[in-house]
Amino acid sequence: MGLTFLGIESSCDDSAAAVVRDDRSILASVVAGQAALHADFGGVVPEIAARAHAEKLDLCVEEALAQAGLRLSDVDGIAVTAGPGLIGGVLSGVMLAKGLAAGSGLPLVGVNHLAGHALTPRLTDGIPFPYLMLLVSGGHCQFLRVEGPADFTRLGGTIDDAPGEAFDKVAKLLGLPQPGGPAVEAAARAGDPRRFALPRPLLDRPGCDLSFSGLKTAVLRQRDALVAAQGGLHEQDRADLCAGFQAAVAEVLAEKTRRALALAPAPVLAVAGGVAANESLRAALQRVAAEAGATFLAPPLRLCTDNAAMIAWAGIEAYQAGRRDGMELAARPRWPLDQGAAPMLGAGKRGAKA
Ligand code: KG4
Ligand code: ZN
């Protein structure tokens, strides 16, 4: 008999529950977003997020089990995101999972949210270890060499903002809607990426670390200069600024990926995170992978962005490796995947980047 796990995710602004089997089938994956609750605030408000998780999470679990056609007693274990993330949300999930485990007697496995993202290509495509993972979302940005279910080497990451955060801030300062990524990408289609000279942060330094905060500030300066000179922004200015910003992000990520693949060659380059939806970034990464003789893998978007199927899957992999957690399982705001790597700087609006 195979294993079936319930997964629970609540580390940022999505309440999610899923039921996944060890043969890689996803029996249910329910995601209840909170975008509307945070829309007026220009970012995720941790207290609002935590309260919404506490209200919605058990309903997500019920719905996931119903969609899978199972009762709780039919699953073999419960996996829950135990960090890193906004602590109120992580606590909501961990408390719920502990309650369900205590009530049912099922085994409990605490999962690192980043491990969930990093192991997703094994759920979607069944690829073997090792591979290189580029995680690019609103809260995370790092290169990981994935060598086992609990064996991650961080080759580099952002020293300030995550790229999605930069897309969101650029959208905001240009008067475009949130989430900023899709809005900036749409505006960029009509833009000239060469009109404005924007920096390529950290390209002059060796290694795979990245920085996006200066790039966002450079867009702000160009905007202010235009507003001072002509009293406002024309549609074309907006498009050109978006195109220039997007090209800079794609170029920097592509070059750092080239370096990561040179540093730690791998047969597969995989991406995860909401920013992986960006078509010019995907095209740039595809070229880099081809140059290095690696296969480029981008899981379907609903499994690239935050979801609980990845948590259930990471829970299965950890359980198969012998991991079990008890009632002492702690919710952790910070939890670096690579314990040996130096701590990252900064904690953005979407919580600790670990
Ligand atoms: O992974 P995700 O859904 O949530 C977390 O951050 O955990 O990622 C959301 C981020 C947002 O910042 C959003 O603006 C960005 O991904 N994003 C994009 C695109 N679609 C979403 N960024 C660039 N281009 C896109 N097409
Ligand atoms: Zn995430």
Side-chain angles (χ1 to χ4, degrees):
M1 259 306 272
L3 284 175
T4 305
F5 260 59
L6 171 69
I8 298 173
E9 155 65 34
S10 57
S11 65
C12 188
D13 57 349
D14 292 307
S15 309
V19 181
V20 173
R21 296 175 57 96
D22 63 355
D23 65 1
R24 300 180 19 232
S25 52
I26 299 173
L27 304 187
S29 179
V30 175
V31 180
Q34 304 177 350
L37 295 177
H38 302 286
D40 290 345
F41 301 96
V44 177
V45 184
E47 289 76 13
I48 294 178
R51 199 175 319 139
H53 287 307
E55 283 169 10
K56 289 276 158 61
L57 218 39
D58 53 344
L59 300 176
C60 292
V61 168
E62 261 179 32
E63 190 178 335
L65 286 170
Q67 279 183 22
L70 298 176
R71 286 163 308 177
L72 187 61
S73 54
D74 296 325
V75 307
D76 301 297
I78 300 170
V80 62
T81 301
L86 299 171
I87 190 64
V90 179
L91 265 172
S92 296
V94 168
M95 298 305 284
L96 174 62
K98 282 184 185 175
L100 292 174
S104 62
L106 288 169
L108 174 68
V109 178
V111 168
N112 183 310
H113 176 87
L114 302 173
H117 279 302
L119 296 171
T120 298
R122 291 175 51 77
L123 166 62
T124 56
D125 293 78
I127 63 167
F129 300 115
Y131 53 93
L132 179 69
M133 158 65 55
L134 168 58
L135 188 52
V136 273
S137 73
H140 321 293
C141 180
Q142 49 188 303
F143 290 104
L144 293 164
R145 184 172 159 84
V146 187
E147 290 174 80
D151 190 354
F152 306 94
T153 306
R154 201 188 76 214
L155 303 170
T158 183
I159 60 166
D160 42 54
D161 290 353
E165 203 173 340
F167 268 97
D168 293 342
K169 287 177 180 169
V170 162
K172 199 170 170 189
L173 65 90
L174 294 179
L176 297 170
Q178 297 292 318
V184 169
E185 180 167 29
R189 287 202 187 96
D192 171 7
R194 282 170 299 274
R195 173 166 160 212
F196 296 102
L198 295 172
R200 302 292 190 260
L202 299 193
L203 270 200
D204 54 340
R205 279 202 235 153
C208 305
D209 280 343
L210 299 131
S211 161
F212 296 99
S213 140
L215 189 50
K216 164 209 72 196
T217 308
V219 174
L220 174 67
R221 293 225 180 83
Q222 298 281 9
R223 180 203 72 176
D224 288 347
L226 287 168
V227 171
Q230 53 189 43
L233 284 185
H234 300 302
E235 217 38 38
Q236 194 59 49
D237 300 331
R238 226 175 247 123
D240 294 342
L241 280 169
C242 286
F245 168 76
Q246 180 175 266
V249 171
E251 194 181 314
V252 171
L253 279 168
E255 175 54 30
K256 295 286 176 166
T257 304
R258 191 173 288 124
R259 290 185 201 173
L261 277 170
L263 210 66
V268 173
L269 165 66
V271 283
V275 182
N278 190 278
E279 281 172 27
S280 53
L281 176 60
R282 278 184 187 232
L285 293 176
Q286 188 119 41
R287 280 194 295 274
V288 170
E291 274 169 33
T295 305
F296 177 68
L297 196 87
L301 204 60
R302 70 196 162 79
L303 294 172
C304 263
T305 55
D306 286 350
N307 66 87
M310 69 179 189
I311 302 303
W313 175 259
I316 288 175
E317 291 223 36
Y319 183 83
Q320 285 169 334
R323 268 271 316 282
R324 308 284 184 274
D325 287 299
M327 288 301 130
E328 71 290 343
L329 174 66
R332 302 172 63 173
R334 284 188 174 260
W335 184 1
L337 264 186
D338 180 351
Q339 307 278 349
M344 306 282 279
L345 301 174
K349 66 179 167 63
R350 286 168 174 255
K353 293 185 187 77

